Structure formats: C-alpha cells, structure tokens
Amino acid sequence: MVNPGLSTGNKLVNSVKISFRLPYLTQWGQSLLVCGSVPVLGSWNVKKGVLLSPFHEGSELIWSGSITVPKGFQCEYTYYVVDDKKNVVRWEMGKKHELRLPEGVQSGQEIEFRDLWQTGSDALPFRSAFRDVIFRQSWDSTIKTGVNHINVEPEESILVQFKVFCPNIEKDTSIYVIGSNTKLGHWKVQHGLKLSYFGEFVWLAECVMQRSDFPIKYRYCKYGRSGNASIENGPNREVSINSSRREAKYIYLSDGMIRETPWRGAGVAIPMFSIRSESDLGVGEFLDLKLLVDWAVASGFHLVQLLPINDTSVHRMWWDSYPYSSLSVFALHPLYLRVQALSENIPEEIKQEIEKAKQQLDGKDVDYEATMATKLSIAKKVFDQEKDLILNSSSFHEFFSENEGWLKPYAAFCFLRDFFETSERSEWGRFAHYSEDKLEKLVSKESLHYGIICFHYYVQYHLHLQLSEASEYARKKGVILKGDLPIGVDRNSVDTWVYPNLFRMNTSTGAPPDYFDKNGQNWGFPTYNWEEMSKDNYAWWRARLTQMGKYFTAYRIDHILGFFRIWELPDHAVTGLVGKFRPSIPLSQEELEREGIWDFNRLSRPYIRQEILQQKFGLAWTFVATTFLNEYEKNCYEFKEDSNTEKKIVSKLKTSAESSLLLDGEDKIRRSLFDLLQNIVLIRDPEDPKSFYPRFNLEDTSSFQALDDHSKNVLKRLYYDYYFHRQETLWRQNALKTLPALLNSSDMLACGEDLGLIPSCVHPVMQELGLVGLRIQRMPNESDLEFGIPSQYSYMTVCAPSCHDCSTLRAWWEEDDERRQRFFKNVMESNELPPDQCVPEIAHFIIRQHIESPSMWAIFPLQDLLALKEEYTARPATEETINDPTNPKHYWRFRVHVTLESLNEDNKLKTIIKDLVRWGGRSIPSEDSQVESSLISASSVADDVSKKQQFAGTGEKIRHPSEFNGVPTKDPLAVL
C-alpha cells in the first residue's frame, strides 16, 4: 500500500512539503516524535523517527515538524512521547493516522496535517463491542460516499479538510460543520458544510477558504431529515493561520470524535453454570444464552457478562467447579454442552435417558460430578452413532484445521489424564514431558485409542457450534457477550505440559491480604515467566485472546494487577500471606546494613520462643515442641525438617492422630503452627540470599514487636517504601510491555478487575491504554470512604453493587447490623432504623444509584436484580453467593431458582428494570436504542451556541420523578 520513503536530506524533483502539528502538553525532559511506515519516518523504528519542535499558541503547547516527499506519497504514522534519548515514554492508542496526498497538489506546495493525540478511550468505538454490536446498525446502514477533492488555484486560497469520527448516528441523519464564516453557514445548519461518510465512522468535507476568513470558529453537529439538529458539546473549535508567513495551501484537520454526551449502557452478570432453563441438563448451557439475551434486551440491557467457560476438568471431581483453574485456556467446558442439540436423529431410548436425567439433575444447586458424568455418557452414545458423518463433514474439517494447534494436545492430555487416572504428569511415565513426536503418536489414526481422541474433538466441535450460535444471536440483538480472562492456569494443565518454559513451576500465584481475605489468597497457579514469553512477543497470550474473540466482544481481565506485578508464593505454601511481589526491587543486604540491620537469620527465620508456645498452645506446648520443633538454644526453637513448610505441616498433621486429640481438632493446630511459621519480619529470596522482602503486615508479628525501637523504625520505613514507592516505575514499565500485547491481539473491549491493593501507577496506565476499570461500592478505592459514591465514578469504569467474589446485595445488607445502619444514614440519608431485610425498596435505591452514575457500564449480578421483586427473595440470601474467596476449596454450584422462560414472561420485573435504565440516561437495545438527546430545531442552532459553551460539561443527571428520602416510597415502578 505504501510507496518507498525518502531521507529528509534528499533534494527532490516534484516534491511536496508535509507538516505535522499536534497540541500536547509534555513534562520537563520529554519531546514529541512522529514515526511511521516509511523510511523518512523511521519505518516504525522510533529511534529513527522525526522529532517535533514545540512552540506556544495562547495557552496551548504545539509540537510541529516537517518532511519533504514526492507527489503521490502515502503512509501511516503515530505520535510518541520520548525522553532525551528517544526512549518511548508513551504512545498513541487506537488506529494509526493515514497520510495520503491530495489529488492536484503541486510541486513545492505544503500540506499541513493538524492532528489530536489519540487516547485509549478514543479507540473504544473501534472495538468489536461497539463497532459490531452497539453501533452495528449505524455501521452497516451508512453508505460510504467518499469526498470530491477540490483544486486550489488562487494565491490567497487555502483548502481546509474537516475530518471527524462519529460512530453513533441514527438513520437519515447527516453530519455538518457549522461556523463563523459564510462557507460554514454563519452557525446555521441549513447553510453549513455537509460531510460525506468515508467508512469506519469517518466523516469528511473539504472547503476552500480565503486567508481573510481566518481565524475560523466551528463545531460539528448532527442534522436529521426531520429538521432536528444536535450540536456537539464543549467550546468552539478553532483553526487559525500565521499571517506573518505564507501558510500551507492545504490544512487537513483531524478532529477526533464528535463531542457528544458519552454513551452509557447497562448489563447483567451471571455465571454460565448458574443459569436455569426448561431445556438444560442440571446446569446452564451455551444455548441458554439466547434466552438470557432475550431477557436482557427486554430489560434494557446491552451486555451479558459470564465467568470463565474454559474446561477445568483437572481432577474429574467437584473441585473442578472452580472456573478460574483452567485445564486448557483454549478448550470450552463440556459442562455447558446441550446434548439434545448434538444430532437431529437421537434415538428414542437416548431421548428418554435425557428426560430422566433432566428431572434427576434439576436440583437447587449444581451437582457437578453427576452432571458431567451424565452429559459425557450421553454425548458418547450420540458420538458412536454419528461419528463418521460428523468427522468427515466439511464443517468439522474447517473447525479442526483452524484449531488443531491446541485441539490435538488437549485431546491427548484428556486421554492421558483418564488413562493414568490423574493429571499429575509426574505419574505419566515417558509422557510426563511433552514433545511433538509423542503428541503425533498419541493422536495417530492408527492408535487403538483414536476413537477416544476423536470424541474429545467431537465434543469441542459441538461446544464451538453452540457457543457460536449464541454469540451471533447476541450480536444481532445488540447485546455484548462479555467473557472472563483468568489470571492463571492450573498447575496440571495442557498449557503447562506443552509450554513449561512459560511458567515458573516452583511458585504459586495469589494475592496479599485485602478486603476478600485478611490472610491473603493462594490460588495455586504457577506464575508466568514473562521474560520467556516476551521472546515471541507473547504468542501464547495472543493466541488465547484471538480464540476468545471468536465468541466474545468484550472481556474482563481477571486480577489486572497481575500484569503490573504478581503476588508470588513458594510452591510449598498453603496460605497467601508470606509472599513477595514479582517483579519487585528487593531490600539488599547492603542497604539493610547501612541502616544498622545485621541479624538476618533472626529476622528471616520463624521467631519461636518458649513463652510464645505457652501462650499459643497452653498445656499442650510441650507436645507441639516435641513433635514439630527443635530447641537450638535455651527457650529458642526452630521447625524440624519435616515440618518447616506449610505443606509439610499439613502432611504431618494427617499422620499424627494425637494432635487432633490434644488440641480439639486438626484445623486449630494447623492454624497455630502456620502462625508460628509466618512469624518472620523479612523473607529471604531463595534465588539470591542477599536480597530480602518485608513480610506483609510485619508489624502484626511478635517477631517485629520484640525488636529494639531503632530496628522497628527502620523496618517500618523500608516496608512502606517497598510496598508503596520504589516499585512504581518498574511496575508501570512491566504493564506497558505485557498489556498492549493483550489489547492488540483482538478487537474486544477490555475491562480490568482492579480491586485490592492498588499501586498508584495502575489507574494512569489503564487510562492510557483505554482499559475500563471496576468499581464496587462496598470496596471504595478511596481510603477515607467506607462506601463508594457512584455519582463520582469516572466514565472509564464498570460500576456494580456486588460481584461473584463477595456476598450479594441482599446478603451484604443482612450480615452486619452496624454497617447497615451507617449506610442507611450516610448514603440513603435517613435517620430511621433500616429494615433488617434488603426489601425491594432498598435494592431499587442502590441499583438506581449505580444506573445514574457516570460509569460507562452499570453491570448487575442477576441475584441483585431479582431482589427488586419480593417473590424472588424467598431463598436465604447467603445461598446466592457464588464464591467464598477465603475457602480455596469452595464448591462453585449456585443456580438461580427461577428459569429463564419464567423471567421472560415476567413483564413487571422487566418494566421496572428497563425504566430504571431509561431514567438513568443509559442506552437501551432494539428500537429504543436511539439516543434521546436534546434535539433542537435548525433555526435555533446559532442562538444556542453560546448556551452550549456555557453549560458544556456540567453533566447533570437524569433523575427519577420521585426523589427518595430514606427508604423509597412504594410507587408501582419501584416495588411489585
């Protein structure tokens, strides 16, 4: 597409001067640089790009520079912020700028490209969630018309090209530019300049101006066939020229997005396994999503959010209900297969078996093991009947060809897991270590077990067909299907078998103590070897996101903090408390010695003294000391070799019957021994004994309390520095290496789960990359707030009253009397006693708060929405919780007690929710999705310009007609 570039020093025949101009406020020591696809702009080597020079124009800092090129030149380019050594500090997000010289340009003439810096949020309309779903009708129905280029002849003439992006435009509506001179209609739309659609949301128009016309003030507006117009928000735009020198004959204005009230939508969140329908077999199934989409549309929702749906069948038992522990990051979970849809010719006896299983498995909660066994058994019978037909079909061959890179290892792994009755690869003999040769033998058509391999192909093929059908249905209905990208993979997974070099198998992933668990979390996943992953530009991640993009148009990045730094634990840890961040800058031995800290063994070994044992274990302390400890000095103890890790303690307790008898149970002694083991101040790096990490919450330990005041003060200061200061630059750099690889791998909308202990670098990086954050009201980012304030959330967020990792709205309301009273008084502004139960009025108030927030998305767990209607609150609220993060062996089995068919028939509930969404000023799907913006008649546009400027950005919320005072009044739209 591009022609060869030229060096800036060449003297050209028939050459044209190109100037770049961009307003951008840099920090001291930073410069702006333009780099592009041709040699004259560095061929995407930033070090060889063209540095721009700054100058002030009014209050703005403008950067400009120029190159000389031949006529007919074209390229792509991007702006970068660099330091004095041309190291990249940040770069533009979104689509690259396109440069094409106008037809008729003469040798020696100058074309000036006036651009705006493209932020991450500017790129969002081009993500598939908006392009292919929300704005799909606009995108499909608008005819690309192009633009007629105008030749510039008179000396005093300047051609100005206006370009603006407008992704959300109604049928029979045009874009105009109106402004302060005759060519732009003197602010009257009828006489303004009409833009032509140029594809991909781009609108263009060209107009020849005279030098005397400048400066020109202007704005863009939408103008409908009915005569209504809506002018863009904000101050007037302006284009000026320097009258003291001869300016460019062509000025190309790239004005970014048309300035409108930001688009806002709402959605529903529910795990796939929690859905209930009249057709399912004991668990939600992919084809049930079509019913859920119907309900979402009728309720005013543009989004359906799921938990991870990849295969987790590591243990072949209910432990596999944990959806974040993937057996394969590419394979879909057989749990969600609809066996009735496997064939049109299912024998009658199998149909009867299915009907019987439906009744048996239709319980309050998911019976994971029974459901998996039943589905696989039925699927195998259907497979045996039609395998030749399916495996020889062109559709299957196409699926296999596109997916064999992961499908063959997955099928081989499942065969070996079942054959050896374990996923622990160390028990697989010669197959413990993966190789391509071994794989080809395992999946060979000549092998005796080839039918088993093909069965796994067959199941994945049908899962793909069923999820694809549901996904396309959602798109056509204007509903985004949002998936979930787990931060880790199971230690015994296909991915760690095939790519062991990509994982640090001697470590475990978790999270430090936070809202969810004061003792931290240990998820058991190996941490990533980012250095190794970077060697092929994160190919594993890119393939993973590409696969996900086949079904979803948006996704949640689980624990996005892990892409900045991960909480790494040794593989012998059970809890999540004694870990360190990776990467991180440790405390060096030299640094500690300079501060007067010398006794590293004392600080890094468990501090166990006789008085501590007596206090913790009472009369049984001698038994504990004899069984688990050695006395290395008088009254000073250390753990024995067979008890010096958490896993060793667990193992030894299982073989020591006396421990449970003496101390009222194994759990109690285990917790107490863990406390002893964790009674340290510094963690010594196992790979570098001269590096140390401060133990999280070190001041809580008796080891720390026994230190002298000088040591305490030094260690407190270094602790604060380690956790809150010295890592920020490193973590920012790490995220800017890893996250763009994900974002550039697909065009899905990315949202980051940024809860927990948030480094200060996280939100600026997310904003820079166009990542949408998460806000949960009960977990505010502000340390001085007990409850978040939805009306103060930023636009680039998803807000929600709860999520799958915490109790539901009803359970949260009921579990703490004092907190409930504080919320009722401080948030709902009532001095009355709050109701003990989360009655529909309470749910209505809290949901309305979130819907009216400025957040791009308000997404509600289905359980919280059902709380709007009393008949759906009969089940105990605690039974609606999906996950307990404090329990690593939690059984993920919650099922909604009402079927989707019944919800679709409940018009009253749908009306309540839809009215909430509409009154909150959010977009709703289908025919109601057209924005009910403040449309004004064309004749009043000129008079309205000054008013628009005055009130631009005030962002007043649309309010419900009846304001709540304490508990909302019982109007028919709030309560049923």
Side-chain angles (χ1 to χ4, degrees):
M1 124 167 199
V2 293
N3 59 345
L6 307 152
S7 66
T8 53
N10 287 349
K11 187 175 180 179
L12 301 175
V13 179
N14 292 327
S15 62
V16 176
K17 181 180 179 182
I18 291 178
S19 297
F20 301 96
R21 174 185 164 117
L22 181 84
Y24 191 90
L25 183 61
T26 54
Q27 296 179 2
W28 180 260
Q30 297 177 346
S31 298
L32 235 62
L33 174 149
V34 60
C35 185
S37 58
V38 290
V40 70
L41 291 177
S43 298
W44 298 122
N45 181 345
V46 177
K47 298 282 188 182
K48 297 180 179 179
V50 177
L51 279 172
L52 306 181
S53 301
F55 66 92
H56 283 279
E57 188 173 270
S59 61
E60 284 191 316
L61 182 64
I62 309 294
W63 293 83
S64 67
S66 62
I67 57 175
T68 303
V69 301
K71 293 167 63 177
F73 177 86
Q74 57 183 3
C75 73
E76 294 178 333
Y77 64 95
T78 294
Y79 294 100
Y80 297 81
V81 178
V82 296
D83 62 19
D84 55 4
K85 294 182 180 179
K86 284 192 174 182
N87 297 312
V88 176
V89 176
R90 67 179 55 87
W91 59 93
E92 286 188 290
M93 298 298 294
K95 297 170 69 67
K96 295 178 174 66
H97 300 275
E98 290 189 6
L99 189 158
R100 298 173 184 270
L101 294 188
E103 298 174 8
V105 64
Q106 300 299 311
S107 177
Q109 290 185 332
E110 179 182 353
I111 302 101
E112 186 175 65
F113 289 84
R114 298 193 180 187
D115 296 316
L116 297 177
W117 181 273
Q118 294 182 157
T119 65
S121 58
D122 291 331
L124 293 184
F126 301 98
R127 295 290 181 181
S128 57
F130 290 103
R131 186 194 64 219
D132 298 338
V133 183
I134 302 300
F135 302 142
R136 176 173 180 160
Q137 186 173 359
S138 299
W139 178 270
D140 290 343
S141 63
T142 308
I143 300 173
K144 181 175 177 178
T145 57
V147 62
N148 295 319
H149 291 286
I150 306 169
N151 291 327
V152 186
E153 297 295 344
E155 183 67 22
E156 294 298 311
S157 299
I158 296 176
L159 184 141
V160 179
Q161 183 186 89
F162 297 90
K163 182 173 80 171
V164 72
F165 290 97
C166 183
N168 185 18
I169 187 166
E170 296 77 37
K171 189 177 181 181
D172 298 327
T173 299
S174 300
I175 305 295
Y176 281 77
V177 58
I178 56 175
S180 58
N181 66 6
T182 303
K183 294 290 183 66
L184 300 184
H186 286 295
W187 300 110
K188 296 185 184 297
V189 177
Q190 303 96 319
H191 303 136
L193 180 63
K194 184 178 181 180
L195 279 67
S196 300
Y197 184 61
F198 208 68
E200 297 189 333
F201 303 149
V202 176
W203 294 80
L204 288 174
E206 293 180 350
C207 181
V208 175
M209 305 285 187
Q210 302 304 308
R211 292 184 180 276
S212 58
D213 292 330
F214 294 88
I216 302 167
K217 297 182 186 295
Y218 65 99
R219 292 199 198 192
Y220 296 98
C221 72
K222 293 179 178 180
Y223 185 49
R225 181 174 293 179
S226 61
N228 292 326
S230 62
I231 192 168
E232 67 174 342
N233 299 327
N236 291 331
R237 302 177 189 259
E238 183 172 333
V239 54
S240 59
I241 60 174
N242 189 338
S243 58
S244 64
R245 69 180 184 89
R246 305 308 294 172
E247 282 285 332
K249 295 289 287 184
Y250 299 83
I251 297 177
Y252 278 29
L253 302 172
S254 184
D255 282 328
M257 291 288 167
I258 193 169
R259 298 186 307 231
E260 301 182 286
T261 301
W263 185 95
R264 293 155 61 242
V268 59
I270 188 71
M272 191 70 250
F273 58 80
S274 297
I275 294 171
R276 187 186 296 268
S277 76
E278 295 174 2
S279 300
D280 69 48
L281 207 65
V283 71
E285 298 166 347
F286 287 147
L287 289 177
D288 289 329
L289 291 172
K290 296 168 71 175
L291 285 172
L292 182 58
V293 165
D294 288 340
W295 181 82
V297 170
S299 301
F301 290 142
H302 265 299
L303 183 146
V304 167
Q305 177 173 319
L306 304 175
L307 294 189
I309 55 170
N310 293 112
D311 193 355
T312 59
S313 308
V314 175
H315 307 283
R316 298 187 307 167
M317 60 177 292
W318 68 264
W319 287 0
D320 298 333
S321 67
Y322 180 28
Y324 288 89
S325 188
S326 305
L327 173 80
S328 166
V329 299
F330 299 99
L332 299 171
H333 207 309
L335 187 69
Y336 305 129
L337 182 70
R338 175 156 296 168
V339 293
Q340 303 96 306
L342 291 175
S343 172
E344 296 179 355
N345 303 304
I346 296 178
E348 190 60 34
E349 62 269 20
I350 296 180
K351 288 182 179 179
Q352 292 176 4
E353 182 180 355
I354 292 172
E355 287 304 311
K356 182 179 179 181
K358 281 174 64 176
Q359 296 176 14
Q360 292 175 337
L361 297 172
D362 188 26
K364 182 179 72 173
D365 299 308
V366 176
D367 185 335
Y368 182 90
E369 294 174 19
T371 302
M372 277 290 288
T374 301
K375 288 199 172 193
L376 290 176
S377 173
I378 294 172
K380 183 65 167 60
K381 293 175 183 178
V382 180
F383 168 75
D384 289 339
Q385 172 187 291
E386 62 166 19
K387 59 185 176 183
D388 293 336
L389 175 66
I390 296 298
L391 297 180
N392 291 318
S393 68
S394 59
S395 174
F396 174 81
H397 282 293
E398 181 181 354
F399 166 77
F400 185 83
S401 175
E402 291 180 0
N403 297 278
E404 64 177 312
W406 64 265
L407 188 58
K408 287 159 68 173
Y410 166 77
F413 186 100
C414 290
F415 165 73
L416 292 170
R417 174 202 61 198
D418 297 344
F419 181 82
F420 289 103
E421 298 184 337
T422 180
S423 294
E424 178 56 63
R425 298 191 298 276
S426 62
E427 299 184 26
W428 287 2
R430 65 190 181 94
F431 296 110
H433 300 287
Y434 173 88
S435 74
E436 290 290 336
D437 289 341
K438 294 175 186 176
L439 174 65
E440 291 306 318
K441 290 177 182 178
L442 283 168
V443 301
S444 168
K445 292 182 178 180
E446 283 70 43
S447 67
L448 295 175
H449 57 265
Y450 185 63
I452 299 174
I453 297 293
C454 286
F455 176 64
H456 293 297
Y457 294 164
Y458 171 84
V459 171
Q460 288 299 312
Y461 168 67
H462 277 285
L463 287 165
H464 162 72
L465 292 180
Q466 292 180 16
L467 181 54
S468 296
E469 180 181 334
S471 175
E472 183 56 29
Y473 185 84
R475 291 183 197 223
K476 289 181 177 179
K477 289 281 191 174
V479 173
I480 293 166
L481 206 57
K482 182 181 177 184
D484 198 322
L485 184 76
I487 186 61
V489 300
D490 196 278
R491 188 173 301 277
N492 296 311
S493 66
V494 181
D495 301 278
T496 58
W497 181 49
V498 177
Y499 307 107
N501 59 315
L502 301 184
F503 304 89
R504 290 171 52 82
M505 297 300 293
N506 63 337
T507 67
S508 185
T509 305
D514 59 11
Y515 174 91
F516 297 109
D517 193 336
K518 62 182 179 64
N519 294 312
Q521 299 175 58
N522 185 343
W523 302 322
F525 315 133
T527 57
Y528 294 119
N529 186 343
W530 289 111
E531 294 80 6
E532 189 67 27
M533 287 180 162
S534 67
K535 293 178 181 178
D536 59 6
N537 193 25
Y538 309 98
W540 180 79
W541 281 104
R542 288 186 284 112
R544 186 178 177 184
L545 268 294
T546 300
Q547 183 73 9
M548 198 173 183
K550 294 178 180 178
Y551 311 111
F552 298 101
T553 50
Y555 66 106
R556 168 190 177 271
I557 303 175
D558 175 44
H559 193 63
I560 196 172
L561 305 182
F563 293 90
F564 293 79
R565 82 295 185 270
I566 198 71
W567 188 245
E568 186 176 78
L569 302 151
D571 62 349
H572 55 69
V574 175
T575 67
L577 184 61
V578 185
K580 61 183 176 64
F581 285 123
R582 182 178 183 89
S584 65
I585 303 168
L587 309 178
S588 69
Q589 182 171 319
E590 180 184 0
E591 178 183 6
L592 289 163
E593 288 175 346
R594 283 199 307 267
E595 298 281 359
I597 304 295
W598 303 92
D599 195 349
F600 301 110
N601 284 335
R602 154 72 176 83
L603 296 171
S604 60
R605 293 167 61 184
Y607 181 76
I608 308 173
R609 300 295 183 264
Q610 181 174 318
E611 59 269 24
I612 296 175
L613 293 174
Q614 292 171 333
Q615 181 182 15
K616 189 172 287 289
F617 298 100
L619 295 176
W621 80 268
T622 54
F623 164 76
V624 171
T626 303
T627 308
F628 298 96
L629 306 170
N630 291 323
E631 187 176 17
Y632 65 91
E633 289 181 9
K634 185 173 177 58
N635 297 330
C636 298
Y637 295 83
E638 65 183 1
F639 276 95
K640 293 180 178 180
E641 179 65 28
D642 66 356
S643 311
N644 62 359
T645 70
E646 292 177 353
K647 283 188 176 178
K648 286 180 180 179
I649 289 173
V650 171
S651 178
K652 189 167 183 176
L653 283 172
K654 288 181 179 178
T655 61
S656 179
E658 297 93 332
S659 62
S660 59
L661 294 174
L662 285 170
L663 293 167
D664 302 322
E666 186 180 311
D667 286 348
K668 182 177 179 180
I669 189 172
R670 183 179 67 245
R671 288 195 300 270
S672 298
L673 287 169
F674 281 4
D675 287 344
L676 285 181
L677 196 63
Q678 296 163 355
N679 192 23
I680 60 176
V681 175
L682 297 177
I683 302 169
R684 192 187 294 266
D685 192 324
E687 298 171 12
D688 181 5
K690 291 189 176 183
S691 294
F692 299 87
Y693 305 88
R695 186 258 208 209
F696 201 89
N697 289 342
L698 56 79
E699 292 183 61
D700 295 344
T701 66
S702 58
S703 177
F704 178 85
Q705 295 303 325
L707 294 172
D708 61 89
D709 288 343
H710 169 75
S711 297
K712 286 182 181 179
N713 292 332
V714 168
L715 288 167
K716 280 195 289 187
R717 176 164 47 81
L718 292 175
Y719 173 92
Y720 191 82
D721 179 62
Y722 174 83
Y723 282 102
F724 302 106
H725 283 297
R726 71 167 63 191
Q727 319 296 347
E728 293 295 326
T729 300
L730 173 65
W731 290 344
R732 171 186 162 81
Q733 292 170 346
N734 195 55
L736 288 176
K737 284 189 293 186
T738 56
L739 284 172
L742 270 70
L743 300 177
N744 295 332
S745 299
S746 78
D747 57 3
M748 292 182 287
L749 174 67
C751 306
E753 182 263 289
D754 52 346
L755 303 176
L757 185 67
I758 310 293
S760 60
C761 64
V762 169
H763 290 148
V765 168
M766 291 181 66
Q767 183 177 6
E768 198 170 313
L769 298 179
L771 284 158
V772 182
L774 177 62
R775 300 293 176 268
I776 305 292
Q777 188 173 26
R778 70 185 75 169
M779 308 175 208
N781 289 330
E782 301 84 358
S783 59
D784 59 335
L785 291 179
E786 182 179 13
F787 310 111
I789 306 173
S791 64
Q792 296 180 6
Y793 293 159
S794 65
Y795 175 68
M796 289 291 289
T797 56
V798 171
C799 70
S802 68
C803 65
H804 67 273
D805 274 331
C806 60
S807 53
T808 61
L809 183 55
R810 282 206 302 137
W812 174 80
W813 182 266
E814 296 168 12
E815 66 194 10
D816 188 322
D817 291 347
E818 294 182 358
R819 183 184 62 200
R820 177 170 65 241
Q821 291 179 29
R822 291 193 300 272
F823 185 90
F824 201 63
K825 178 179 180 179
N826 299 328
V827 178
M828 301 185 70
E829 299 180 348
S830 174
N831 292 317
E832 303 294 326
L833 279 177
D836 294 338
Q837 306 295 312
C838 183
V839 295
E841 294 93 336
I842 299 294
H844 189 281
F845 178 91
I846 295 173
I847 289 171
R848 176 186 155 196
Q849 265 194 314
H850 288 75
I851 285 179
E852 291 182 343
S853 77
S855 298
M856 179 191 299
W857 289 101
I859 300 177
F860 304 95
L862 182 57
Q863 305 96 298
D864 292 352
L865 294 168
L866 295 180
L868 288 167
K869 192 173 180 183
E870 192 169 356
E871 73 175 74
Y872 296 131
T873 62
R875 186 174 184 173
T878 53
E879 294 183 3
E880 295 183 333
T881 300
I882 293 168
N883 178 37
D884 175 7
T886 66
N887 179 10
K889 292 300 181 184
H890 176 74
Y891 195 169
W892 298 60
R893 62 187 312 197
F894 166 73
R895 292 192 79 192
V896 177
H897 58 282
V898 58
T899 66
L900 290 172
E901 289 85 353
S902 296
L903 284 179
N904 274 304
E905 292 174 1
D906 190 339
N907 293 325
K908 291 184 178 180
L909 178 63
K910 290 185 293 187
T911 299
I912 280 185
I913 298 172
K914 193 169 188 176
D915 284 344
L916 275 168
V917 175
R918 181 186 289 113
W919 292 334
R922 294 185 179 270
S923 171
I924 54 179
S926 191
E927 69 275 3
D928 298 322
S929 62
Q930 295 184 0
V931 179
E932 297 175 6
S933 56
S934 53
L935 297 176
I936 50 180
S937 65
S939 61
S940 64
V941 170
D943 298 332
D944 193 58
V945 170
S946 60
K947 295 180 183 178
K948 283 267 187 180
Q949 281 186 267
Q950 182 179 354
F951 293 106
T954 58
E956 283 194 44
K957 295 188 297 182
I958 299 174
R959 305 295 297 183
H960 188 290
S962 62
E963 291 296 329
F964 294 152
N965 181 13
V967 178
T969 55
K970 291 193 174 184
D971 63 63
L973 295 172
V975 184
L976 296 178

